[in-house]
Amino acid sequence: MKQLFVFVLCMGLSSGAYGAGENAIKLLESKTKRSLELVKFEPLNSKLYILIVKDKVNGYQTLLLSDEKEKNISVVNTFFSTDNTDMQRVAQELAYVASYNFKIENSAKLNALFNAIPKEYAITIQGANNNRTYIVSDPMCVHCQEELARIESRLEKSSVVMIPIGMLGEDSLQKAAEIQAQIRELKTPKDQIQLLRSIYSRAHKPSPQNQQYIKEVAQVTNQVKTLIDAVPFVYEMVR
């Protein structure tokens, strides 16, 4: 994986008429000789700024910290602070960048994985266009339930292909099988989402399902686990 490795750059550019983060980009490009794109430049409570840049050649992102004047920049692998909010924020951004780079590095494998999921198993919910966002999800996962609550906002940008799996045990397996048993007859996004939310609900108790659907869920779960070890996993297919 090609990433930037910048420690402390003390020779900054004079503050010109650039937008926030643009001086940092120009400084990094002058020192690394790489073409970069600004992804994020946002303040922390500790008077530092989160800076995420993307290499225009290989597509990888890197998380850095910058001072307010964009003259001193450091790559971040671990961050400690007396401000717990800042620590949590940086940890979240590190996780985001790691996930993004994993998808870039493994895009061919992920594309092949999702193309191999049986069409009758993958739940395609039509959105604003035919671009596809794949969501691997477990009905018993709290974060997956939260992700499902935001599905309408994703549908404004693309169609969504839901792949419910049974990663978290027997209850997950039964709920995912129940979805498969019922959702194939539904055609409208409204009906599909309503069923998903009903079964994903914490109040919905799993019940024994037909062994045919249990077998299908188990097979897809094992297939997905060859590359994905945590849910929800959200992926926009790279073509």
Side-chain angles (χ1 to χ4, degrees):
M1 178 184 298
K2 295 181 180 178
Q3 285 185 289
L4 299 173
F5 292 94
V6 185
F7 293 98
V8 179
L9 305 176
C10 297
M11 295 178 61
L13 300 171
S14 59
S15 57
Y18 302 115
E22 292 303 319
N23 280 329
I25 291 294
K26 290 186 176 295
L27 174 57
L28 289 168
E29 287 183 332
S30 72
K31 299 298 182 180
T32 65
K33 310 304 180 186
R34 302 193 71 85
S35 181
L36 305 172
E37 176 184 332
L38 177 65
V39 176
K40 182 176 292 187
F41 187 77
E42 296 179 355
L44 294 170
N45 296 332
S46 52
K47 297 185 179 180
L48 294 172
Y49 282 73
I50 282 178
L51 172 64
I52 299 179
V53 300
K54 182 169 76 171
D55 189 306
K56 291 182 179 179
V57 175
N58 59 39
Y60 288 116
Q61 293 187 1
T62 302
L63 176 65
L64 309 102
L65 289 180
S66 171
D67 63 358
E68 185 177 6
K69 295 183 178 180
E70 305 174 35
K71 292 185 176 182
N72 300 284
I73 301 172
S74 177
V75 169
V76 180
N77 292 314
T78 306
F79 178 72
F80 298 102
S81 172
T82 55
D83 190 307
N84 289 331
T85 301
D86 279 359
M87 284 185 61
Q88 183 178 15
R89 172 73 187 286
V90 173
Q92 289 172 342
E93 295 291 357
L94 280 168
Y96 162 79
V97 169
S99 175
Y100 178 91
N101 288 338
F102 172 83
K103 293 168 187 176
I104 292 294
E105 186 174 11
N106 293 280
S107 60
K109 293 179 181 178
L110 287 167
N111 288 355
L113 170 65
F114 289 120
N115 284 330
I117 300 292
K119 290 184 178 180
E120 67 274 12
Y121 189 94
I123 302 163
T124 301
I125 305 173
Q126 184 63 44
N129 54 57
N130 290 326
N131 294 332
R132 292 190 171 191
T133 298
Y134 289 82
I135 302 179
V136 180
S137 180
D138 187 305
M140 295 299 293
C141 162
V142 173
H143 298 300
C144 297
Q145 294 160 2
E146 294 170 351
E147 174 63 41
L148 181 59
R150 299 189 293 268
I151 195 169
E152 283 86 358
S153 63
R154 292 199 180 276
L155 290 170
E156 292 175 0
K157 302 174 183 177
S158 71
S159 295
V160 170
V161 181
M162 288 283 295
I163 302 175
I165 61 172
M167 185 176 281
L168 302 179
E170 183 64 23
D171 287 351
S172 297
L173 195 65
Q174 296 292 347
K175 280 196 172 189
E178 185 176 357
I179 290 169
Q180 291 299 322
Q182 298 184 36
I183 204 162
R184 297 177 190 182
E185 298 179 357
L186 305 180
K187 302 302 180 184
T188 69
K190 180 180 178 180
D191 290 342
Q192 291 170 313
I193 294 169
Q194 184 176 356
L195 177 66
L196 287 167
R197 285 181 173 156
S198 171
I199 296 176
Y200 269 65
S201 169
R202 299 178 201 180
H204 183 85
K205 302 302 180 185
S207 58
Q209 297 297 313
N210 186 295
Q211 284 300 308
Q212 172 192 341
Y213 296 115
I214 293 288
K215 183 178 180 181
E216 288 181 10
V217 173
Q219 288 176 338
V220 171
T221 299
N222 289 332
Q223 191 175 349
V224 165
K225 285 169 67 175
T226 60
L227 266 182
I228 298 168
D229 60 6
V231 287
F233 184 87
V234 181
Y235 177 68
E236 296 178 9
M237 184 167 280
V238 178
R239 299 186 184 278

